[in-house]
Amino acid sequence: MRRTFSIHIVNAIKTCSVFAVLCAIATTVVAADWQAGLAKAVITPDNPTWMAGYASRNRPADGTINDLYAKALSLRSANGETFVLVTMDLISIPFPLRHFLEDHVHQQHSLPASALMLNCSHTHCGPEIRTSRWALDGLEPNRLKLAEQYVASLKKKLTTTIDLALERLEPSKLVYVRSRCGFGMNRRTPSNGGFRNFPNPDGPVDHDVPVLKIEDPDGKTKGIVFGYACHNTTLGIYQFCGDYAGFAQQYLEETHKDAIAMFVLGCGADINPYPRGTVELAQTHGKSLATAVEAALQTTPLVLKPHLDHKYGKALLEYSTAPTKAELIERSESSNQYIAAHGKRLLKQLEQDGQLRTNYEAPVQVIKLGNALTLIALPGETCVDYSLRLKAELSDETSRGRIWVAGYSNDVFAYIPSRRVLLEGGYEAGDSMKYFTTVLQHGPFAPNVEERLIYQVHRLLDE
Ligand SMILES: [Zn+2]
């Protein structure tokens, strides 16, 4: 009897132990039940492709300073939602590329458009990406061949990288931290009644460095996603280079051997890195930004609960009054070669389509990570007023948590000025439209551009 009782006790203890172990496992899973996967691929062109970013370049690239990368982070939450972030050391994201990748994640992984976020570092030392009618129109045959070859290989590498990141989903812990970094300075300086591209220490900036760290269950860092709002234009050379953002990623990956570092460009359209002009300065700024990320990693981490919610919508942006045919003819005869080329293209558009574009559907995306972080992805070359305004407007709403505003996301087709910048005038306000060919646009946006975009952000957040 006594023996039986002892056996019962022993069995009970064993059962309890098994239960305790199961509980411990369950606790571990609960503590780290995000799933995350990361992958990267070199996307430096194999051939001496023409470069993007400066219209004045007159020959293809003749070398490489450091490789360009595409990187993907996949996340899956406890509520079964999946999200993929793709960052690229490239000048822009043309809408045909976005559509191609949307189709891919939909067909291969059953993911909706809202589950895919694309962001480009906007390096001005990367290849040109020509994908649309006006970007390919009238291109010299050799250059056209190189451009098409590059886009074909880019598409293959991007889909492979996305697939790999999704294959690699494994239990992970996500934390958010942030710090600040100071080399970005406003580049719009009042001059002769207008504005010129010149460092302006009095202009608005956003020096936040938001960081998302992804750890495996053993606490090893496997991903570092970090943002900064500054044009990636320390350089304008004829060699491929990721500029400051490329160097920052490189330095972080050298320090964190098991990690993939991903740069997300913020609303830095009217912000430049200063000083600028040499590879050494790009490395210095890259070091500053990597150091700011390391500083952020030393602060108290905000652990993100494994809950994911993403929304994707379009803001209808209107253009100002279209020029008449007579005005376009005048433009096409301008002594400024860029105004003339733009005028000729617009005349062709008018002739072939019967009208000029009156509006554009620009994508806006919001991603909620737990209830502690909301990521807002804005399109185009987004001016700094957008991130300052959204962070100020949303910071009181505690249900949103921290606000991270990315620019240069999903479709980079024009500068997106705030109302202030638009009314002030200058390059970011509309003078730059002549350089954009992915989407052919005749002139500035209407003054309601800011309200249209901000309204769409709020709509998605409130849905
Ligand atoms: Zn730019």
Side-chain angles (χ1 to χ4, degrees), residues 153-330:
S153 83
L154 177 67
K155 283 178 170 175
K156 214 173 281 175
K157 286 175 181 176
L158 286 171
T159 52
T160 308
T161 308
I162 290 171
D163 295 349
L164 206 52
L166 283 160
E167 265 171 41
R168 289 179 178 167
L169 279 168
E170 60 171 15
S172 301
K173 180 181 165 190
L174 262 61
V175 305
Y176 170 81
V177 286
R178 75 180 179 124
S179 70
R180 296 169 78 79
C181 185
F183 63 81
M185 202 192 308
N186 195 286
R187 69 178 200 185
R188 287 170 52 84
T189 294
S191 162
N192 298 325
F195 283 81
R196 67 176 173 134
N197 190 329
F198 192 78
N200 177 5
D202 297 321
V205 285
D206 178 357
H207 281 163
D208 275 356
V209 179
V211 180
L212 178 67
K213 182 171 73 153
I214 300 104
E215 284 178 1
D216 72 8
D218 300 329
K220 197 157 65 183
T221 303
K222 60 181 197 176
I224 300 171
V225 184
F226 63 104
Y228 194 52
C230 177
H231 244 100
N232 198 12
T233 52
T234 319
L235 298 170
I237 52 178
Y238 280 86
Q239 288 167 293
F240 294 121
C241 180
D243 209 297
Y244 80 76
F247 286 118
Q249 292 172 84
Q250 180 189 319
Y251 298 147
L252 286 167
E253 288 180 4
E254 282 167 7
T255 308
H256 303 266
K257 296 281 184 217
D258 301 306
I260 290 181
M262 298 170 70
F263 174 73
V264 172
L265 182 52
C267 302
D270 43 351
I271 311 295
N272 264 353
Y274 291 109
R276 54 206 290 256
T278 66
V279 174
E280 288 70 28
L281 285 169
Q283 289 168 329
T284 302
H285 297 324
K287 194 86 201 156
S288 300
L289 185 51
T291 306
V293 172
E294 297 292 357
L297 293 174
Q298 297 203 349
T299 65
T300 307
L302 189 60
V303 178
L304 303 180
K305 293 207 176 93
H307 192 276
L308 193 53
D309 188 18
H310 39 72
K311 302 268 165 51
Y312 189 79
K314 300 276 177 79
L316 189 70
L317 306 185
E318 297 169 316
Y319 296 100
S320 57
T321 311
T324 61
K325 189 172 177 183
E327 284 167 333
L328 291 182
I329 292 170
E330 202 183 313

Side-chain angles (χ1 to χ4, degrees), residues 16-196:
C16 280
S17 307
V18 170
F19 184 69
V21 169
L22 285 175
C23 285
I25 291 169
T27 311
T28 313
V29 173
V30 168
D33 61 358
W34 282 99
Q35 303 259 321
L38 290 117
K40 66 176 180 178
V42 172
I43 53 166
T44 318
D46 297 327
N47 299 311
T49 309
W50 283 70
M51 304 174 84
Y54 297 106
S56 57
R57 280 202 181 99
N58 57 13
R59 59 178 199 276
D62 55 23
T64 300
I65 300 283
N66 62 359
D67 271 324
L68 309 174
Y69 286 90
K71 300 175 181 178
L73 162 69
S74 66
L75 294 177
R76 187 163 292 157
S77 57
N79 61 324
E81 288 292 333
T82 304
F83 171 68
V84 180
L85 166 68
V86 180
T87 62
M88 293 163 276
D89 296 319
L90 289 177
I91 187 80
S92 79
I93 300 150
F95 71 89
L97 185 64
R98 164 85 203 173
H99 292 169
F100 169 80
L101 293 174
E102 266 181 25
D103 285 349
H104 176 78
V105 298
H106 182 65
Q107 283 163 17
Q108 300 300 318
H109 305 285
S110 304
L111 295 177
S114 60
L116 177 68
M117 174 179 162
L118 310 174
N119 183 277
C120 65
S121 78
H122 198 52
T123 174
H124 282 45
C125 291
E128 56 180 16
I129 317 155
R130 294 180 179 269
T131 53
S132 70
R133 170 185 167 195
W134 298 109
L136 294 164
D137 186 53
L139 208 62
E140 184 266 318
N142 271 341
R143 187 168 169 179
L144 179 69
K145 197 176 147 202
L146 282 169
E148 287 180 336
Q149 276 174 353
Y150 182 72
V151 170
S153 83
L154 177 67
K155 283 178 170 175
K156 214 173 281 175
K157 286 175 181 176
L158 286 171
T159 52
T160 308
T161 308
I162 290 171
D163 295 349
L164 206 52
L166 283 160
E167 265 171 41
R168 289 179 178 167
L169 279 168
E170 60 171 15
S172 301
K173 180 181 165 190
L174 262 61
V175 305
Y176 170 81
V177 286
R178 75 180 179 124
S179 70
R180 296 169 78 79
C181 185
F183 63 81
M185 202 192 308
N186 195 286
R187 69 178 200 185
R188 287 170 52 84
T189 294
S191 162
N192 298 325
F195 283 81
R196 67 176 173 134

